[in-house]
Amino acid sequence: MQDASENNFPLEPSRVFPMPGGESLDLRDLLQCWDKATARLQETHESLRKEVTRLTDELEVKNRELARKNRLADLGLVASHIAHEVRNGLMPLTLYTGMLRRNLGADAESARVIGKIESGLTVLNTTVDDLLHFTADRQPNRSYVATSELILDVCEDLALQLQAQGVQLRLDLTERDMLLADKDMLKRVFLNLTLNALDVMPKGGILTITSQVNFGHLEIEFADTGCGISSGDVRRIFDPFFSTKSTGTGLGLAIVQRVVEVHEGQVSAMNCPDFGAAFTLMFPIKAMKAAA
C-alpha cells in the first residue's frame, strides 16, 4: 500500500513557477510584486481621496462665493434705487436751505439751526455717495497710475483731519512701479482705508502706509494703532452695511473689496502683533510696469 505522504506536496517558499519564454518566478518574488502593487493601489487611492476632498472643498467655496455675489447683486439693485430716490429729494432740500440762510441774514440762532440741518444733509449725501459707489457695476477705466503719488494726494487731502486728531503719518512707498488701474476707483480705496484708520484713532495714533513688490504682487498696507478687530468681526468686516461704529453706512470696506476684486486683486485684514489692525491690498504683477 502506497504511503499517503507520497501524495502530499507542501507549498514551500522556494517553489518556482514556470513563466512564458522559459523564465521562472520564485514565490518570494511573486509576493513582493503583490505587495508593491497593493502599495501602489493604496497610494493611488489615498491620492484620489485627497483630490476628491480638495475639489469638494473648492466647490463649496465657489458655491458660497456665487451665493454671496447673487445676494450682493440683489442688494445692489435695491440700494441703487433707494440712493437715487434719496438724492432726488436731497437736491431741493439743499437748495431751499441755502435760500433760507440768505433770507435770515445775521440771525445767529437761526444760522446755528440751519447749520445743523446742512450737516445732516451732508451726512445723508455721503450715505448716498457710498450707496452709489457700492452699487456701481462698471468696469475700470484703466491707465497706468503711480500708486505712491495717489496715496500722497489722499494724505494731502486729509492733512487737516490728520493733524486735528493728532495722527502721525509714516510712509514707506515704492516709487518704481505703476499699476494699470482706474485712478478714481483706486483713489476711493485709498481714501476709504485712510478714513477707516482715522475713525479708530480719534485721540491720536500712527498710520503707517507701505508698499512693496513681493512674490509677484504689489502689496499696499494701511496699518493703524487703533483698537484692532475683534475675533467675531474679522469674517464680517467686508460685508455690506456691517459696521462697529454708531455712525456711517458700513459700506466703506465693502467698496474697497469690490474695487480691488474688479482689478483682479485681493484685500485682507488682520490684527497687528502689538496693537491696531492692518489692511493689505495685493495686485497681480501683470497689472504693473516699471516707472520710467
Side-chain angles (χ1 to χ4, degrees):
M1 184 173 178
Q2 187 178 9
D3 190 353
S5 62
E6 294 180 3
N7 295 324
N8 188 12
F9 300 100
L11 183 63
E12 298 178 357
S14 59
R15 187 169 180 180
V16 176
F17 295 86
M19 297 291 289
E23 298 177 355
S24 60
L25 182 64
D26 189 275
L27 180 57
R28 292 189 182 89
D29 295 333
L30 180 61
L31 292 174
Q32 288 178 357
C33 291
W34 176 263
D35 289 341
K36 290 179 180 178
T38 303
R40 286 197 297 269
L41 285 173
Q42 182 64 31
E43 291 175 0
T44 302
H45 176 268
E46 185 65 20
S47 298
L48 288 174
R49 188 189 65 79
K50 290 181 179 179
E51 183 65 12
V52 169
T53 301
R54 186 188 68 81
L55 291 175
T56 301
D57 292 342
E58 186 176 312
L59 180 61
E60 185 178 349
V61 171
K62 295 296 183 183
N63 285 336
R64 286 200 301 266
E65 290 178 355
L66 180 61
R68 178 178 178 274
K69 288 181 179 180
N70 289 336
R71 290 196 303 270
L72 291 180
D74 293 338
L75 182 61
L77 290 175
V78 175
S80 178
H81 177 73
I82 294 174
H84 283 290
E85 291 298 321
V86 172
R87 172 152 287 178
N88 290 337
L90 283 176
M91 292 177 64
L93 287 176
T94 304
L95 177 63
Y96 294 148
T97 304
M99 293 173 60
L100 186 60
R101 178 181 286 278
R102 289 193 296 270
N103 291 337
L104 291 175
D107 186 343
E109 181 61 22
S110 297
R112 185 183 67 82
V113 173
I114 291 175
K116 290 185 175 294
I117 295 173
E118 289 174 335
S119 297
L121 293 175
T122 299
V123 171
L124 285 175
N125 194 60
T126 301
T127 301
V128 171
D129 282 341
D130 284 344
L131 283 171
L132 292 176
H133 274 89
F134 173 70
T135 58
D137 189 19
R138 70 177 180 86
Q139 292 301 309
N141 182 19
R142 299 175 187 265
S143 61
Y144 280 105
V145 180
T147 56
S148 58
E149 294 180 6
L150 200 57
I151 291 172
L152 290 173
D153 288 344
V154 170
C155 293
E156 185 176 347
D157 292 341
L158 297 175
L160 291 178
Q161 188 171 348
L162 288 164
Q163 183 178 2
Q165 291 185 209
V167 174
Q168 300 177 37
L169 187 62
R170 296 179 180 176
L171 302 176
D172 184 11
L173 306 173
T174 177
E175 298 181 358
R176 299 184 299 106
D177 301 288
M178 302 180 72
L179 189 66
L180 185 60
D182 187 304
K183 183 177 181 179
D184 293 335
M185 294 173 74
L186 202 60
K187 185 172 183 178
R188 180 78 182 191
V189 167
F190 297 156
L191 177 64
N192 283 8
L193 290 176
T194 305
L195 290 174
N196 185 74
L198 287 171
D199 285 338
V200 298
M201 297 186 293
K203 298 182 179 180
I206 301 172
L207 171 59
T208 304
I209 307 176
T210 60
S211 66
Q212 62 178 335
V213 178
N214 194 17
F215 296 108
H217 289 81
L218 172 63
E219 294 184 8
I220 304 175
E221 183 181 86
F222 289 70
D224 60 65
T225 56
C227 57
I229 309 169
S230 68
S231 57
D233 294 340
V234 171
R235 293 185 177 182
R236 302 183 59 195
I237 198 166
F238 294 106
D239 288 349
F241 305 108
F242 174 77
S243 178
T244 58
K245 298 175 289 186
S246 58
T247 60
T249 61
L251 288 174
L253 293 178
I255 292 171
V256 169
Q257 185 181 53
R258 172 163 289 192
V259 171
V260 172
E261 288 181 349
V262 83
H263 284 84
E264 295 85 41
Q266 296 178 343
V267 57
S268 60
M270 63 181 295
N271 286 317
C272 299
D274 297 325
F275 43 78
F279 291 82
T280 304
L281 312 174
M282 296 181 62
F283 297 98
I285 197 76
K286 65 180 181 180
M288 298 170 54
K289 74 171 185 179

